[in-house]
Structures are given as C-alpha cells and as structure tokens.
Amino acid sequence: MKLTRRTVAALFASSPLLSLAQGADLMTPPAALHMQNVPPVPKSLADRMAAYTEFRGHGFSDWHPTKAEMLVGHREAGASTPQLFRLDTAMGTLKPVTQGPEPAGAGSYEPKDGRFIVFSRSSGGNEVTQIYRQGFDGAPAVQLTHPDERTSLNGWRKPQGEIVYTSVPIDRTAQGGTRAKIMTSFWAVNPEAKDPLAERRKLVELEGGGWGGNVSEDGKRMVLTKYMSANESQLWLMELEGESAGKPVQVLPKPGSNDAKAVHFGSFMPDNRTLLVATDRFGEFRELAVLDAKTQELKRITAHIPWDISGGDVSADGKTLVVQANADGRDLVHVFDTSTWKELPAPKLAAGSVGSARFHPSLPLLVYSVSSPKGPSQIHVLDAKGASTQWTRAAVPAGIDTQAFNDTEIIRWKSFDGLSISGLINRPPASFKGKRPVLISIHGGPEAQATVGFLSRWQYFIQELGITLIQPNVRGSSGFGKTFLALDNGFKREDSVKDIGALLEWIKTQPDLDADRVVVTGGSYGGYMSLAVATHYSDRIAGAIDIVGISHFVTFLNNTESYRRDLRRVEYGDERDPAMREHLEKISPLTNAHKIKKPLFVIQGKNDPRVPYTEAEQIVAKVRELGTPVWYLRADNEGHGFARKENNDYMQWSMVQFLQQTMLK
C-alpha cells in the first residue's frame, strides 16, 4: 500500500519526539528553537510527514581486529541522534555501545583484541571534537582529549597500543577571540592511561590548520598531509622513533621542484614502506599512484579511470587493492592485483552507489555500504569466494514503497560562457499532472558534489507535494576535474551564481517544469548561493531558503574559526588585500539585500563555528528592514546543520509551510 497524504499518525503516535501543544492542534517547538515570523506547525502536517522522517540506514565505522564483527552507526527508532553499535552477524541484533544526547562520530576498535573502542563527539554542534574511550560494559565514556582543543584521530600505533591525534586551539581560548597564527599539534597517548592529558606526548607542532596524517602498520612512521586548498596539498613523512623522530620531511611535491600545484593524499601499504597516493598531478582527475618511500618513485595505477578516486583500501595480506571512483555522482568499485597493479574483474555487488569499502584486518572479508534513490544506506559483506551477504536492512516505514521512487537522472545545460553544467533531477510520480514546481537544492563546500543516493526527507516534497528536485553541480564542484574545481575561486565567485541563472533559463524550456514556481535552497556555501540567486534573479524565483549560509564574505572570514580562516581565504579570496576586499564587499548578499524581493527563510545553528550565527542574523535584519518578508529559525543546540531529529523535523515542517506560501499556492 502506497502512503498518501492521509494521516499516518497512528504509526508514530508513541514517538517521544512528536508532541502536541496543550489545548491546540499544533506541534510544540523543541525548547532550543527560536523563531521569528515562522507560523505554528499544524499537527496534521506533522502527521503527514511523519513516515518520511523515519528512514534510518546504517553506516560502517570499523571492523573488529580478529572477529567477523563490526562497528555500525545508526539512529534507533525514537532516538534523537545516531550512536554506535556492535554487529556480529548478518542481519543480527545491534548491540549499543555509545549513549547520550550528542551524536557519536567515527569509532575505532582497539586494534589488538578489540577490548574497547575510541570514538569522536562534539557538543551542541560546536565541532570542538573530542576523543573518548568507550568499553562494552555500559560504563560512561572516558574523555581522552583537552576540552579547549579541537581534535581529530589519525590512527593507531598498533604494536605500541597508542592512538595518534591532532589538535588545534579554538578561538574562545584566544585573547580577543581570534588568532593570527594557528599551530597544529600531533599527540600520542595510550587510551587506557590513568591521566590521558598528563601522559600524552607531543610528537610535533606544525604551523597551519590543514594538517592530518596516517600511521604505518608497525607504528614507526607517519605520512602527513598539509592541505592548503582543494587544488593543492603536500605530502610529508615523519619518523615516530629514533633520532629523526618528530622531524617531518616533504616528499611531494619535491622541495625546490617546479611541479605545478597538485593534490597529494597518502596512506601506508601493509609493508610499511610503500604509500598509496591520491593525486591530480598527472591530469584533470585525482588518480591513485604508488610511492616508494625509499626511492620516491611514483607509479600511476588508475590513469585509465577518467574520474576522481574517492577512496580505497588494501587487503590484510597486501595482495588486493579496492578502489572507489566517483563516476558522474555515483561511487563505483574497481579491484587491482597489487603484484602487477592490473585491474581485475569487478565483483558482483549490491546495486547502488558505494559509500565505503573496507577489508577486514585479519579475515578474508570486504565490507561495503550502498545507497540508491530506492533506499537508505545498507551494509553488505563480500567473502573470499565473491559471495555478497547483506548485514543490515534499513528501516523503511510501513506503507512506503521506496522501489516505486523514480530514479535520479542527470541533466546538463549550457552556462553563460558555453560551459556545460550538470545536475541531478528527481521527478515526482506520474500521478501529478501539469507543470511541476521546482526546488533547486545547491550543495555546500563549494568543493563538494551532489551525488546519487537516497533523498530521505526530500522524498516527501517529491512524492506527496509533487515537487521536482534539482541538485546542480555548478562550477567549483568536485568530481569534474581540477580545472572545473577552480573556476569559481576569488574574483570568479559569481560565475557559479550565473550557472544557476542558466539553469533557470533551462527550466523555462522544459515542458514538465513550471518556471514561475521555483524556490532555491542550500546549506553552508549553498546557503550563500541561495542568497546570491535571490539578489541576482529575484524576478525568476518564488522564494529562497538559506541554511547556515554566508551573507557577507568579509564578516564571515573575520569570524569563522581561526583554524579554518586561511584555508577559506584560498577559496573565497583574502579580505586583507584591498582589491579583493572591495570585490567581496561588492558581491556579498548583505550588500545587495535591497535586491531580494521574494520571501526569504533563514535557518541557523547558534553554535556554528564555520559560518557564525551572526551571518544569519545580519541578513535577516537587513532584508526585514527593507520590507521583504523573512522567516527566521535558530537552534541554540545545533551547529553547522541540524543533527537532532526533533529540530530537523520542525525545520522540515516549517520549510513545507514556506513552500506552501510561495510556490504551492
């Protein structure tokens, strides 16, 4: 039975996240939400949408070191946030590991016996990520890192029983709330130390906020990546023992060489001396190469694959390499023999876009997750004989047939300068007649990509409201080559906005789309794009929804966390340069707020360290002052996006009401 617009309240009446306002047929907003001009949400709307908020997939986190057991991320029915669980058999019962009101991030088993895990977590969306040790006895997690530092796990020194992590200071600890210079520290510590902060050892301190790394299997060395921008990063090697310990040496590009700027990311093979390197130094796309750490010879492996390599892993015996390649928004798997570096026939996997693929550290098993327009992420395991077994089944509410959802299609159009731009389109069921309204959803980054996968809550907009969803990959998106990736940098910023202008013209030519009923939305950089489209093309849209978006580049660069600032200056431009500052002032939506003539909905997390909430509040105040209707919703316990189900639900209900008042009238 297909779910229609009829109520599904009976299915979810017991959910603690759905509550009625006393004495009224309205939903009670979560206590952390603050709203201006956002109308109350009728219970009838919450009931209609309820099932579409209950798609719950599974994400792979780590393998147990010796057993066919894995760590899985999942949000249980009735829960607000996702947590980590153990799963030790196909389609088995998930055994809770982490607990608490905050979402649990990536987790990793202790690599010898799997006696405990370490995992990451931040508070209230502030992204001051901390690392914790968590046992399996139900006891509270033990924090291993400093609360005034943002940390990131780099991996284990497996034989030594230590973790290695990076830390950067955060601005609330700085005089004046900002720093002119950021230093990244690498630390090693035994997670079972009685006093982890007192017993941690500083391995090295390096200038800049873009450092990361991977540890060799023997724990004796690290490969470090210095990330400068989406188009440039360096590879360094650092010994962790002996006289050379803590003295990084740059290997790619070679110091003093005339090599062009390129991306280099690396990780060790099981032999502890060979590196797998992802790089775009040879051409447009990021390919995989092998670097001999001793001779520094670089051998190309995936030059024949005309797409960016998005991931990879090597089997425990070092004989097989599995590679993920992004092909027009879908991640596909390629397999290589490491003795010859020749590609092997691809295994038969479950249908969908591969989200992760990881070999077991001691057993002949490969785990992979897949999602598709037909369903959320599910985990499968491939054995040595090539047989694939499904290990999890995503939660899909009764009454919804996801197999009936239309497939995602790829569309292309020519922009103002003749450049071909592509995007993803999802059309509503054929039962909706006539020209359909369009919601344009622009991804963040901007160094990101709209990819094919399950649309979850967006399916309510498509299936029940008859809206066509378009996700454009404007210039500056990843996945289409390094030249395309850099086409929006600095003074070229608004060329990406013109790509949306060209999309609006393309919509006019489509017999099934209504060019008079278009709303644009997006998060982060996509939020900026929504605001920019509202200033440039106000006469062609019905409204705009800005989620955690940049409203003024100069104030954004001044107020974003210091560890991010220099990395963002490479993309957007350095506001300290007078000519660039003038340009950023000129193109910022706040400067052009008087051009926004259609209704605006602004959504923000109070604790956002990337795009501070002041970006939202200044555009709300200015547009409202100029007389254009503005809705504003702020969550005081969220950051760069809404992680809690109750907040996300209310945001989605409010978005539906906004669309009903703009393009669904």
Side-chain angles (χ1 to χ4, degrees), residues 452-468:
V452 177
F454 191 64
L455 293 171
S456 192
R457 294 164 184 261
W458 286 123
Q459 285 291 358
Y460 177 83
F461 295 72
I462 299 168
Q463 304 297 322
E464 308 298 332
L465 301 180
I467 293 172
T468 293

Side-chain angles (χ1 to χ4, degrees), residues 216-296:
S216 62
E217 286 292 310
D218 61 8
K220 295 181 179 181
R221 50 175 32 183
M222 287 189 70
V223 54
L224 308 181
T225 299
K226 183 180 183 181
Y227 180 90
M228 281 88 85
S229 74
N231 290 91
E232 182 182 11
S233 57
Q234 299 171 348
L235 214 60
W236 298 62
L237 287 175
M238 184 175 73
E239 301 294 330
L240 298 180
E241 297 178 355
E243 294 182 359
S244 300
K247 299 175 182 178
V249 176
Q250 184 178 337
V251 293
L252 290 176
K254 294 180 180 179
S257 71
N258 294 320
D259 292 345
K261 292 181 179 179
V263 168
H264 299 96
F265 295 103
S267 61
F268 280 99
M269 294 274 287
D271 65 5
N272 299 302
R273 67 184 296 272
T274 307
L275 290 171
L276 284 175
V277 178
T279 180
D280 61 9
R281 68 181 296 171
F282 300 111
E284 279 295 313
F285 292 97
R286 191 171 304 172
E287 59 186 82
L288 206 61
V290 179
L291 176 71
D292 187 304
K294 185 175 181 179
T295 66
Q296 296 192 11

Side-chain angles (χ1 to χ4, degrees), residues 319-331:
K319 295 180 179 180
T320 307
L321 167 68
V322 62
V323 171
Q324 293 167 245
N326 180 306
D328 230 346
R330 291 179 174 87
D331 259 20

